[in-house]
Amino acid sequence: MQTHEIRRRFLDHFVRAGHTEVPSASLILADPNLLFVNAGMVQFVPYFLGQQTPPYATATSVQKCVRTLDIENVGITTRHNTFFQMAGNFSFGDYFKREAITLAWTLLTDSVEAGGYGFDPERLWVTVYLDDDEAERMWLEVGVPADRIQRRGMADNYWSMGIPGPCGPCSEIYYDRGPEYGVEGGPEADEDRYIEIWNLVFMQNERGEGIGKDNFEILGPLPKQNIDTGMGVERVAFLLQGVDNVYETDLMRPIIDKAEQLTGRSYGVDHTDDVRFRVIADHARTGAMLIVDGVNPGNDGRGYVLRRLLRRIVRSARLLGAEKPVMAELMKVVSELMAPSYPELATDFSRIETVAVGEETAFLKTLNTGETLFDNAASAVKSKGGKQIAGSDAFALHDTYGFPIDLTLEMAAEAGLSVDEDGFRSLMAEQRKRAKDDAQARKHAHADLTVYKELVDRGATEFTGFDELTSEAQVLALIADGVRVPVAQAGSDVEVILDRSPLYAESGGQIADRGTITASGLKLRVNDVQKIAKKVWVHKATVEQGQITEGDVVLAQADPAWRRGATQGHSGTHMVHAALRQILGPNAVQAGSLNKPGYLRFDFNWQGALSEAQKADIEAVSNDAVGADFPVNTFVTDLPKAKEMGAMALFGENYGDEVRVVEIGGPFSMELCGGTHVEHSSQIGPITLLGESSIGSGVRRVEAFVGLDSYKYLAKERALLAGVASSLKVPSDEVPARVEQLVERLKVAEKELERTKIAAVLSSAGTFVDQAERVGSVLLVAAAAPEGVNAGDLRTLATDIRGRFAGEPAVVVLLGNADGKAPFVVTVNKAAQDLGFKAGDLVAGFGPSIAGRGGGKPEMAQGSGSDPSGIPAGLAAVRAQVAELAA
């Protein structure tokens, strides 16, 4: 049975049983505890917590999930994936244990002809929580014999989110793969032979504070008993398809097949290679799913996880023998395999490919840099007669430069060296512990939003701001410090919930309106407006006059000037987006935005900086559209029709069944957008690009002023240009040429100054040679350089001194004093090296005196110290060390 059919059968089974089918949420949700959605129930958390009343009593979904806690272990086991699909059925105070058990058992054991999966009931085992007699009795009733039901403790069969909130005992269903896969005895004996395929959580209690799976207090029962189940689609697939593991299923094995073609190696021949093939298959799929939901490679958070995944693909392919880039081919296979269930992988493939290939290109450059750094580290080890690269060096290559340890091991072996793997693993373990501690520290209980529940259940705030700036409204509630209050006095801060409001609540990149709430003798200044559950407007305000009481009828007004500037900024963003796509092409896709009065910031997916010509063209196209006075039309339609019309959607955003489309100038710009806009494009005013920059790998940012702010900026620039022209005594249009002439003259002067400076430094070389001390058979120059000589000039001086000793053994050590630092250079000529003198060894002798360190090759070492006062002691240490070596 193919995986897509397994998904469909699950959903159909529960829809027939009265459940509402709910689409998978994006992998990115606004939950402070989660980088990614990692369980099927995450999008339903507000219902389980009682913060919102669900729109349905029961639901079913197949949720896409990502878990990345142990990325390094992917591929080592054959049943874990970073991306997986969790099929689930949920009850919000409706049915409980009996129905959940019956529905799961019938789907698993009913024949394929009857719509089930056709599992042999004789091969299914069940676990229940230690004292859950009720669940055991129900499993017996559906036909599971007592000897195939096992009781397990809290760590295995008691569920919670790891933070205070709902919890409860659970019951897991296992499939026995047979004696060839392990020992008899059920799940307690061997979880490789007995594979968990379904977990039924009986959510009935509330947990308190604590850490871990079993170290917390159970506070008491929940107001309602809920059901949360999860069936692993990938695990069921490999069992129904008769293969040994998830990597050999219909949605994974073709990726491995492609990797075999790209690398020339075969899967199933060597365990180490097999792990690398599985890493490629797993990470390629996860990477594509993250990119399509709006994640871009970066240096922290979600972006860092994606970057690691993509780079591990490149690394694994390279270790398997790939000599050319692989990402484009792998992403194409993933898209073709997964698109039947996730069609956005096909429609957005161009962007997925661009992001993935861009990261591959960047990492290949990093690998080249890492190879150079490895060569330096290996040379340093060999020069000292060593045989092992330090664990700290291997860790630095891995952590700082992204150079993988397995490549370090391979290259070390080729160079006849080993690596201190224990030291490396210890440092990696410390890093992981810091990361886990940090993640745990950032976890906290979900914000208590129960105070808003009645208001959310009442219905959405009516937003009147598309048609008017002033609206009569009734005060539905007042909230202060998280508590509902009947009245708020002058001087207090309060959250005001109205039945209707013209003030825009922050969303879609547009910041909230500012405004007022007034009545006879009453005035509140509205400082911010936010949404609760995407439907209730919360006006965060300060009472400036009078007192406001729940039930009051008031006038809510958006600041007209603020709104005008905000609409200019938001409409200007649409113009810039359209211009970017016109100049750069369809891959310049929105990755975020910020609009406020007079200003816009637009982030988009793109590899590489824009040229001056491209920026000028984007500005010109945007302003041409402003000048064309395009009409701005808005209308509401369903999502499929909007996409069919070509409306642009924000990647990773979850849209409802109905969407609002903003159309500017017909085909020029059409986007899904809930923001406020001008009525004609000319009302935006001039658009002036301020600059363009990188905010992460594959993501660029443009910023611009619009309207009056644009005019003010241009006026300021004009005044600045006029001042420069006046100083240079040339017309404004000649300023660039004149500045260029001055810059060239300055460069010439600086070069001449540098030549003079070097000549002055080198003129002292003869003096240092004359001061050379004979120590045994070696001539030693150990001296303080002239004050202010920088490291580069110090090296030039030392090299010149060394050259004046012809073939006689000589050691030159110069310590400088420049800008509060103590740069140094040690150089040893060939004759002295033959006697056993090495520049790097000498640094170790005097370095502590100046709080410095450095390194290099036997003939030359250089570095810097932070304590110039130690120079005399350092020179004395050099003389003593050379004397000892000479003896």
Side-chain angles (χ1 to χ4, degrees), residues 618-731:
I618 291 164
E619 189 175 73
V621 170
S622 300
N623 283 297
D624 284 347
V626 169
D629 196 27
F630 289 138
V632 178
N633 300 313
T634 61
F635 57 91
V636 175
T637 185
D638 59 75
L639 183 59
K641 186 174 181 180
K643 289 186 174 181
E644 183 181 337
M645 295 170 63
M648 294 292 298
L650 182 63
F651 290 100
E653 182 71 19
N654 286 325
Y655 295 96
D657 294 332
E658 288 194 333
V659 292
R660 182 169 180 263
V661 179
V662 177
E663 177 190 62
I664 305 178
F668 180 76
S669 171
M670 185 183 295
E671 299 191 33
L672 303 186
C673 180
T676 62
H677 290 273
V678 299
E679 296 178 350
H680 290 267
S681 63
S682 61
Q683 295 171 338
I684 298 172
I687 298 174
T688 303
L689 256 61
L690 303 178
E692 181 266 346
S693 59
S694 170
I695 60 168
S697 177
V699 184
R700 309 295 298 182
R701 169 173 290 172
V702 292
E703 298 175 85
F705 283 139
V706 298
L708 188 58
D709 287 83
S710 179
Y711 167 77
K712 291 177 179 177
Y713 173 77
L714 293 173
K716 181 181 176 181
E717 291 290 294
R718 182 177 63 186
L720 179 63
L721 177 61
V724 174
S726 176
S727 298
L728 296 176
K729 295 182 173 54
V730 296

Side-chain angles (χ1 to χ4, degrees), residues 452 461 479 495-497 505 528-532 536-540:
Y452 303 102
T461 302
I479 297 171
E495 295 180 356
V496 183
I497 290 85
D528 190 14
V529 189
Q530 295 293 325
K531 292 181 186 179
I532 297 294
V536 173
W537 266 231
V538 176
H539 303 77
K540 298 185 177 184

Side-chain angles (χ1 to χ4, degrees), residues 33 81 95 185 292 344 509 598-599 727-728 745 755 801 821 844:
N33 293 310
N81 300 130
Y95 63 79
V292 83
E344 61 270 24
Y599 170 86
S727 298
L728 296 176
R745 287 173 59 184
R755 281 195 294 268
I801 294 170
K821 301 291 184 181

Side-chain angles (χ1 to χ4, degrees), residues 252-472:
M252 296 288 280
R253 181 56 199 245
I255 309 174
I256 292 176
D257 292 342
K258 175 57 69 174
E260 287 180 313
Q261 295 175 19
L262 294 170
T263 63
R265 300 269 184 93
S266 296
Y267 183 71
V269 175
D270 175 81
H271 173 72
T272 301
D273 282 358
D274 287 354
V275 170
R276 291 166 181 161
F277 277 118
R278 291 194 286 264
V279 165
I280 290 172
D282 174 88
H283 291 2
R285 194 168 69 149
T286 306
M289 299 304 296
L290 290 177
I291 294 170
V292 83
D293 272 1
V295 182
N296 288 288
N299 292 325
D300 53 30
R302 298 182 179 105
Y304 178 67
V305 172
L306 175 59
R307 169 162 287 168
R308 282 191 68 196
L309 293 170
L310 296 179
R311 291 188 170 195
R312 278 169 59 83
I313 295 171
V314 178
R315 173 191 78 182
S316 297
R318 182 161 175 156
L319 288 168
L320 286 169
E323 297 179 353
K324 296 180 180 179
V326 300
M327 200 66 75
E329 293 288 331
L330 292 171
M331 289 297 160
K332 182 179 179 182
V333 174
V334 171
S335 176
E336 292 171 349
L337 291 171
M338 300 294 291
S341 293
Y342 304 99
E344 61 270 24
L345 288 168
T347 56
D348 302 336
F349 177 71
S350 178
R351 187 176 64 88
I352 295 169
E353 181 183 42
T354 298
V355 172
V357 170
E359 184 61 25
E360 178 180 35
T361 301
F363 186 47
L364 288 173
K365 293 179 181 177
T366 296
L367 286 177
N368 291 334
T369 301
E371 288 174 348
T372 301
L373 294 169
F374 172 84
D375 289 342
N376 292 338
S379 297
V381 169
K382 288 183 176 181
S383 69
K384 296 177 181 178
K387 294 293 184 181
Q388 187 178 70
I389 292 175
S392 57
D393 288 339
F395 179 76
L397 281 166
H398 170 86
D399 190 55
T400 306
Y401 302 101
F403 200 70
I405 182 60
D406 34 17
L407 277 182
T408 301
L409 292 169
E410 188 174 279
M411 292 174 64
E414 292 173 355
L417 299 172
S418 63
V419 177
D420 176 12
E421 292 187 65
D422 289 341
F424 172 82
R425 306 291 175 197
S426 175
L427 291 168
M428 284 295 296
E430 290 176 14
Q431 183 192 60
R432 288 196 190 98
K433 184 178 184 304
R434 288 193 298 269
K436 287 183 179 180
D437 289 346
D438 179 61
Q440 185 64 42
R442 286 187 285 105
K443 277 195 172 187
H444 53 78
H446 289 271
D448 186 359
L449 302 178
T450 52
V451 70
Y452 303 102
K453 182 177 184 297
E454 178 188 336
L455 301 162
V456 172
D457 290 346
R458 179 188 178 279
T461 302
E462 179 189 354
F463 177 59
T464 61
F466 290 136
D467 303 312
E468 60 188 26
L469 295 181
T470 302
S471 299
E472 185 176 81

Side-chain angles (χ1 to χ4, degrees), residues 96-97 101 125-139 148-160 167-174 187-188 198-205 207 213-218:
F96 200 47
K97 291 183 184 180
I101 287 171
W125 287 64
V126 170
T127 63
V128 298
Y129 183 54
L130 284 176
D131 62 2
D132 197 348
D133 298 335
E134 183 182 31
E136 182 181 36
R137 184 173 66 253
M138 292 171 181
W139 282 116
R148 292 212 307 274
I149 300 175
Q150 295 183 332
R151 298 200 180 218
R152 306 184 80 174
M154 183 172 277
D156 293 302
N157 275 68
Y158 203 94
W159 176 91
S160 79
C167 64
C170 60
S171 188
E172 297 173 332
I173 305 173
Y174 290 78
E188 281 200 330
W198 204 327
N199 187 12
L200 289 74
V201 176
F202 310 128
M203 199 180 294
Q204 61 193 48
N205 297 319
R207 67 158 280 177
K213 293 183 176 182
D214 53 3
N215 184 25
F216 56 84
E217 181 183 3
I218 298 174

